[in-house]
């Protein structure tokens, strides 16, 4: 990638590591944002996107909260799309339109419509004059939208970009830290749940200014009722106000609902439902009730309070009973996710984050995990739920070809002997097989029963599993399963056209860390499994933070701990159990018996090298406890919860960097390990197929690589399986400036240069466009070429797009 700044010209070399080394380019110059892999979805279908349209043709990406205008138009903060959307209902149709921001393009720009740029807007409200206010959470500011009859204009009214904190003041002198929900009172004051500050803030209009004050809470987290800032909170998320000026707060990480009552210039905070630090889904009176993650809150006209309990997958209702509140669950079923419409608890949701009422008294629910907008209409003593817009049909358990198939949070993936694939369909509690058939992949369930988690040995779907996480295949075609919820390692032996399940190590639902043979051994939520050519199995025993080895012996299988210390969550390189991990997740083994593991909680990649009697553990990539996304060498690179890992025949490592929603590649060069990004954009969630950064993921989970170097990835929240194929390899070399021209030479391996394009962008994380004026010419036929363009304006980035 090349940046022309007009003055100092920075050259960023990539993509092919071997060529870089051969050309003796300096390591410091290697910042790679694109590698030539083309990713396509081969099974399942994602329900997220940014498309406008009618009803289910529209797509959202984790919308969080909404507000309804007097006209009945609904406005939604479409959080991961970085946009505000409008929903206009006519009859049975709901038309979705993006009114400000640009889908998939985060940023910070005030302006009109699509010119404006937002960064994960979460909360939204409207005053009596029709002005919309929203929390631009990723930018740590509060912004307003005003309508001129045809367009909406965005302006920032409080907070300062790139200056998060807790500071009262006027307009930009005030500071916020991840502000979440907000609401307006009749006088035009705005109240903000300042999430990461653990505070409730008040914004008072004064002419053209806004004066920000803290009315409750303090930056230190806790849970104490009391007056003003004597009260403490732990991530207040949603906030609402009743007709008497009382504030109600959904306190996400304390799992409680709080009430803040005004008294003169003071504010008294009390807990009205839930128990701090104790989560659950129990109904009951006041603090006898339990919540999981109360994310948003709204007050009905009769004084009842409704709460979106996001991680409980339900909507809760608080009914005043004297000075207390009785909690019930009118919508959804605790921790049972789905997209079902229906009456009362028959309706299913997945992480509902927002609740509000429309002008007819219907409850609107932003079903964030399903990327849908749902409507609950009073039906006697119950509520009837329907879907207004979006498509959450990405979850399910259907077998079939390609996009007909459905998954429910697929985790591990492994390549079979015939280049067929096996997938641990975690939330379905099943093992699925994908078989290539022409241009399609046909999905079938080979073990387990969707919707019936448990433990049973048996043939095919007579066997039951509970949260299976990872898979490996041996040279005989047997499939080994880390059955995480059951705390065991299972084997599926081919038997005719089916598979017979047996448990080889551990005891069902008995956790521990004991070494031993067969059922004597104990595991604590094993999540990774790999097998070498000798049939030895390696396990990432996640909650023990250890790596275990399972060796075939005469009496069965002997389990030994080869690295890590059970129950010690830390970091240390060293020999055997002197090495320490922080939640091991994925594991793989190369042809030489070297084991690699993702150290999930430390954000690093570890290598276990066999010695005469032990394993020596070293950290090869990432920086310990440095959460981020940097390509680079060894500890100069960074990850964000790397989950799974695979190795190819050449010793190249592939990693799903889950929190970054990217796929990474790690190449060994001498004593160094060089990390590059194969696909995805750090922190940008999506479901797009494409080349390199054009491919978008939603929490990539499992990864496998076949003998041809083809990569396969499972996407947990897109519920899809994606295939990545290596494209022609290119390398940009030293650009030449002068004579009013910029020449960009590049080397080509196995590709037709006529298919290449020169792309440019003002920023690497913004949209790339083709420079149609670039002229392609040959330097050495079949080996090297160059693009020639007129010297462009300053601050332009360039890269070469492969076919």
């Amino acid at each position: 990638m090349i940046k022309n700044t007009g003055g100092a010209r920075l050259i960023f070399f990539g993509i092919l590591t071997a060529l870089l080394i051969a050309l003796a380019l300096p390591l410091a110059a290697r910042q790679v944002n694109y590698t030539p892999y083309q990713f396509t979805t081969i099974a399942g279908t994602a329900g997220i996107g940014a498309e406008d349209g009618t009803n289910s043709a529209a797509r959202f990406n984790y919308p969080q909260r909404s507000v309804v205008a007097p006209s009945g138009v609904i406005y939604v903060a479409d959080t991961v799309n970085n946009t505000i959307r409008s929903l206009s209902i006519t009859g049975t149709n709901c038309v979705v339109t993006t009114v400000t921001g640009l889908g998939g393009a985060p940023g910070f720009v005030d302006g009109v419509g699509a010119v404006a740029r937002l960064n994960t807007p979460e909360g939204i409200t409207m005053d009596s004059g029709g002005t919309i206010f929203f929390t631009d959470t990723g930018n740590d500011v509060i912004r307003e939208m005003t309508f001129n009859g045809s367009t909406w204009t965005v302006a920032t009214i409080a907070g300062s970009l790139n200056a998060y904190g807790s500071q009262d003041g006027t307009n930009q002198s005030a500071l916020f830290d991840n502000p979440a929900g907000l609401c307006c009172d009749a006088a035009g004051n705005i109240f903000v749940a300042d999430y990461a500050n653990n505070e409730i803030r008040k914004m008072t209009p004064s002419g053209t200014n806004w004066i920000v004050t803290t009315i409750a809470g303090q930056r230190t987290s806790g849970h104490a009722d009391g007056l003003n800032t004597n009260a403490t909170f732990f991530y207040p998320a949603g906030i609402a106000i009743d007709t008497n000026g009382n504030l109600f707060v959904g306190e996400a990480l304390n799992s409680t609902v709080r009430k803040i009552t005004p008294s003169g210039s003071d504010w008294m905070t009390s807990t009205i439902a839930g128990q701090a630090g104790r989560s659950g889904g129990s109904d009951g009176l006041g603090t006898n009730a339990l919540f999981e993650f109360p994310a948003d809150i709204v007050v009905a006209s009769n004084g009842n309070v409704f709460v979106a309990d996001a991680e409980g997958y339900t909507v809760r209702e608080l009914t005043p009973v004297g000075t207390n509140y009785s909690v019930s669950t009118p919508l959804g079923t605790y921790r049972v996710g789905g997209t079902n419409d229906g009456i009362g608890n028959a309706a299913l949701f997945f992480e509902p984050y927002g609740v509000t009422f429309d002008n007819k008294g219907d409850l609107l629910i932003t079903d964030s995990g399903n990327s849908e907008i749902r409507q609950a209409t009073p039906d006697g003593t119950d509520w009837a739920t329907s879907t207004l817009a979006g498509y959450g049909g990405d979850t399910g358990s259907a077998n079939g070809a390609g996009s007909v198939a459905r998954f429910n949070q697929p985790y591990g993936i492994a390549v079979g002997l015939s280049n067929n694939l096996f997938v641990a369909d975690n939330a379905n509690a099943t093992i699925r097989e994908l078989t290539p058939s022409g241009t399609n992949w046909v999905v079938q369930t080979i073990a387990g029963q969707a919707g019936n988690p448990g433990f049973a040995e048996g043939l095919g779907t007579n066997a039951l599993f509970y949260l299976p996480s990872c898979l490996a295949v041996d040279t005989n075609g047997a499939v080994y399963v880390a059955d995480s919820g059951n705390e065991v390692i299972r084997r599926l032996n081919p038997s005719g056209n089916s598979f017979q399940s047996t448990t080889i190590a551990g005891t069902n639902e008995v956790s521990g860390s004991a070494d031993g043979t067969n059922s004597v051994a104990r595991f604590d939520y094993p999540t990774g499994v790999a097998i070498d050519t000798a049939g030895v199995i390696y396990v990432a025993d996640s909650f023990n933070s250890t790596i275990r080895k399972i060796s075939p012996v005469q009496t069965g299988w002997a389990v030994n701990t080869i690295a890590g210390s059970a129950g010690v969550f830390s970091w240390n390189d060293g020999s055997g159990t002197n090495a320490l991990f922080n939640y091991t997740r994925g594991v793989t083994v190369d042809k030489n018996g070297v084991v690699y593991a993702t150290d999930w909680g430390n954000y690093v990649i570890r290598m276990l090298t066999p010695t005469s009697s032990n394993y020596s553990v070293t950290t090869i990539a990432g920086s310990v406890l440095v959460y981020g996304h940097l390509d680079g060498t060894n500890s100069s690179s960074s990850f964000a919860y790397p989950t799974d890992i695979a190795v190819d025949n050449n010793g190249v490592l592939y990693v799903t960097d889950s929190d970054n929603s990217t796929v990474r590649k790690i190449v060994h060069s001498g004593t160094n390990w060089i990390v590059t990004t194969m696909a995805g954009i750090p922190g940008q969630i999506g479901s797009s197929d494409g080349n390199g950064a054009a491919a978008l993921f939603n929490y990539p989970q499992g990864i496998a690589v076949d003998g041809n170097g083809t990569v396969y990835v499972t996407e947990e929240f897109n519920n899809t399986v994606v295939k990545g194929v290596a494209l022609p390899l290119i390398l940009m070399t030293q650009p030449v400036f002068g004579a009013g021209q910029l020449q960009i030479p590049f080397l080509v391996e196995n590709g037709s240069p006529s298919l290449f394009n020169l792309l440019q962008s003002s920023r690497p994380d913004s949209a790339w466009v083709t420079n149609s004026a670039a002229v392609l010419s040959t330097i050495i036929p079949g080996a090297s070429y160059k693009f020639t363009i007129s010297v462009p304006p300053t601050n332009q980035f360039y890269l070469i797009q492969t076919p």
Side-chain angles (χ1 to χ4, degrees):
M1 186 171 60
I2 300 171
K3 181 184 180 184
N4 173 26
T5 61
R9 296 182 173 97
L10 303 179
I11 314 301
F12 292 90
F13 295 95
I15 293 157
L16 179 59
T17 302
L19 282 175
L20 286 170
I21 296 166
L23 293 172
L25 297 176
L27 282 173
R30 297 179 192 147
Q31 175 63 43
V32 180
N33 287 78
Y34 177 87
T35 53
Y37 273 76
Q38 181 182 57
F39 282 84
T40 54
T41 302
I42 61 173
T45 183
I48 66 172
E51 294 85 354
D52 290 338
T54 302
N55 303 336
S56 62
R59 293 289 186 271
F60 298 86
N61 197 346
Y62 218 81
Q64 290 216 15
R65 294 175 179 89
S66 63
V67 68
V68 181
S71 64
V73 175
I74 304 163
Y75 294 91
V76 175
D78 196 2
T79 303
V80 179
N81 274 328
N82 306 296
T83 56
I84 305 296
R85 318 283 292 277
S86 71
L87 284 70
S88 300
I89 300 174
T90 303
T92 59
N93 287 326
C94 179
V95 179
V96 178
T97 306
T98 302
V99 297
T100 192
L102 181 64
F108 180 77
V109 177
D110 287 339
V112 177
V115 172
R117 291 292 182 271
L118 323 179
N119 190 356
T120 58
E122 289 191 13
I124 188 167
T125 191
M126 178 180 283
D127 68 13
S128 58
T131 299
I132 290 176
F133 302 91
F134 65 92
T135 54
D136 197 5
T137 304
N139 286 323
D140 298 307
V141 297
I142 311 300
R143 304 175 79 174
E144 71 173 10
M145 291 168 48
T146 54
F147 192 56
N148 70 358
S150 59
T151 58
W152 288 90
T153 299
V154 175
T156 303
I157 61 173
S160 181
L161 178 69
N162 295 327
Y164 67 88
S166 174
Q167 180 173 298
D168 291 342
T170 303
N171 301 340
Q172 279 72 34
S173 67
L175 297 180
F176 298 85
D177 192 353
N178 277 268
L182 77 172
C183 63
C184 284
D185 68 11
N189 298 304
I190 301 172
F191 297 89
V192 180
D194 199 359
Y195 189 74
N197 274 328
N198 301 302
E199 295 171 334
I200 306 301
R201 317 289 291 278
K202 180 181 180 181
M203 296 173 54
T204 305
S206 176
T208 58
N209 293 319
W210 291 88
I211 301 170
V212 179
T213 56
T214 302
I215 65 170
Q218 50 188 270
R219 203 164 192 196
T220 302
S221 63
H223 187 275
D225 291 336
L227 196 64
N228 302 329
T229 56
N230 291 324
T232 56
F233 297 82
F234 193 13
Y235 284 6
I239 189 168
I241 191 166
D242 68 12
T243 55
N244 297 316
N246 298 304
L247 296 171
F248 296 84
V249 176
E251 191 182 12
L253 291 193
N254 269 331
S255 300
T256 61
V257 178
R258 315 286 289 276
K259 182 177 181 180
I260 307 175
T261 305
S263 176
S265 60
D266 290 325
W267 297 84
M268 175 60 73
T269 299
S270 59
T271 303
I272 62 171
Q275 299 177 28
R278 186 181 175 195
S279 60
S282 304
D283 292 336
L285 190 64
T287 55
N288 291 320
L290 297 178
F291 294 81
E292 277 285 341
F293 191 97
D296 198 22
I297 197 162
V298 67
V299 184
S301 58
N302 64 357
N304 288 5
V305 179
F306 288 80
V307 176
D309 194 0
E311 297 302 324
Y313 306 162
T314 55
V315 176
R316 316 291 292 280
E317 182 176 9
L318 284 69
T319 304
V321 178
T323 58
N324 216 323
Y325 286 83
S326 177
V327 180
S328 60
T329 305
L331 290 164
T333 299
Y334 175 66
R335 294 298 294 172
V336 178
T339 62
N340 301 26
D341 289 334
I343 304 296
N345 304 121
L348 297 180
F349 305 86
F350 183 47
E351 295 184 346
Y353 254 81
V355 283
T356 193
F357 280 98
D358 67 13
N359 303 337
K360 305 187 299 295
D362 294 337
L363 190 64
L364 299 176
I365 303 156
T366 49
D367 193 2
S368 302
N370 283 321
S371 292
E372 292 180 328
I373 310 301
R374 314 283 290 276
Q375 180 184 57
T377 302
D379 183 18
T381 59
D382 227 325
W383 296 82
T385 299
S386 58
T387 301
L388 286 179
Y391 172 68
D394 51 347
T395 59
S397 60
N399 291 321
S403 61
V404 172
R406 293 291 184 271
F407 299 87
N408 194 353
Q409 297 183 23
Y411 274 29
I413 186 168
V415 179
L417 300 184
S418 304
N419 277 342
N420 54 326
L421 304 174
F422 296 94
V423 171
D425 199 359
N426 184 266
N428 273 331
T430 57
I431 310 301
R432 317 287 292 277
E433 182 179 15
L434 283 70
T435 305
S437 176
T439 58
N440 282 323
W441 291 77
V442 178
V443 179
Q444 62 176 336
T445 302
I446 63 167
Q449 299 175 19
N452 187 24
F455 178 83
E457 306 292 18
L459 188 65
T461 56
N462 291 320
L464 298 181
F465 293 80
Y466 182 36
L467 300 176
S469 289
C470 196
L471 307 165
V473 181
D474 69 13
T475 54
N476 297 313
V479 181
Y480 295 81
V481 182
D483 194 2
S484 304
N486 282 321
E487 313 286 4
V488 294
I489 307 301
R490 318 266 298 267
R491 180 175 63 186
L492 296 171
N493 260 342
S495 178
N497 294 323
S498 192
F499 289 83
Q500 174 69 44
S501 171
T502 56
T503 299
I504 66 169
T507 296
N508 173 41
E509 294 187 347
V510 180
S511 63
S513 60
D515 289 340
T517 304
N518 301 341
S519 61
V520 173
R522 296 287 183 269
F523 299 87
D524 196 351
Y525 210 80
T527 57
V529 62
I531 190 165
D532 67 16
T533 54
V536 176
I537 301 165
Y538 301 86
V539 176
D541 197 2
S542 184
F543 286 11
N544 276 325
S545 280
T546 57
I547 303 296
R548 317 288 292 277
K549 181 177 180 178
I550 308 177
S551 305
V553 294
Q554 288 182 348
T555 56
W557 298 86
V559 179
N560 294 286
T561 301
I562 61 173
S565 181
V568 180
F569 302 90
S570 186
W571 174 87
N572 189 51
D573 282 342
S575 180
T577 56
N578 291 321
L580 298 177
F581 300 82
N582 190 4
Y583 290 106
T584 52
R585 287 294 296 268
V587 66
T588 191
V589 57
D590 70 15
K591 61 186 178 183
N592 299 314
V594 178
V595 179
Y596 302 89
T598 56
D599 192 352
W600 187 80
N602 281 323
Y603 316 135
V604 293
I605 310 301
R606 314 290 290 275
M607 178 173 70
L608 289 73
T609 305
T611 62
S612 58
S613 60
N614 214 328
Y615 282 80
S616 176
V617 180
T618 54
T619 301
I620 62 171
S623 185
V624 178
L625 294 178
V626 176
Y627 177 102
H629 191 283
L630 284 176
D631 289 336
T633 304
N634 306 334
S635 61
S636 68
S637 62
S638 59
F639 297 83
Y641 294 115
T643 301
D644 200 12
I645 188 167
V647 62
D648 68 15
N649 293 334
N650 298 313
V652 176
L653 301 173
Y654 303 86
V655 175
T656 47
D657 197 4
S658 295
D659 247 31
N660 279 319
S661 287
T662 57
V663 179
R664 316 289 290 276
K665 184 176 184 178
I666 308 176
V667 177
H668 195 197
S669 172
T671 59
N672 291 315
W673 293 86
I674 302 168
V675 179
T676 61
T677 301
M678 295 173 60
I681 297 174
Q684 185 167 327
I685 296 172
S687 63
S688 303
D689 291 344
N691 300 349
L696 296 179
F697 301 87
N698 191 353
Y699 211 81
Q701 179 70 229
I703 192 163
V705 59
D706 67 18
N708 299 315
T710 300
V711 176
Y712 300 91
V713 177
T714 59
E715 294 189 84
E716 180 179 358
F717 295 135
N718 276 337
N719 296 295
T720 56
V721 179
V722 179
K723 175 182 176 181
V725 178
L727 291 170
L729 301 173
I730 63 168
L731 170 69
M732 287 192 234
T733 58
Q734 182 69 41
V736 179
F737 299 89
Q741 292 183 335
L742 170 60
Q743 295 183 3
I744 306 172
F746 60 99
L747 308 178
V748 177
E749 184 177 289
N750 300 325
S752 171
S754 63
L755 299 177
F756 294 158
N757 292 311
L758 184 67
L759 304 184
Q760 69 181 49
S761 176
S762 59
R763 287 179 51 179
D765 58 353
S766 297
W768 293 86
V769 297
T770 301
N771 186 320
S772 57
V775 177
L776 179 67
S777 56
T778 301
I779 299 175
I780 301 174
S784 61
Y785 301 84
K786 68 180 178 181
F787 278 109
T788 303
I789 59 174
S790 299
V791 174
T794 59
N795 295 313
Q796 290 292 305
F797 288 80
Y798 297 90
L799 58 78
I800 295 170
Q801 181 186 47
T802 58

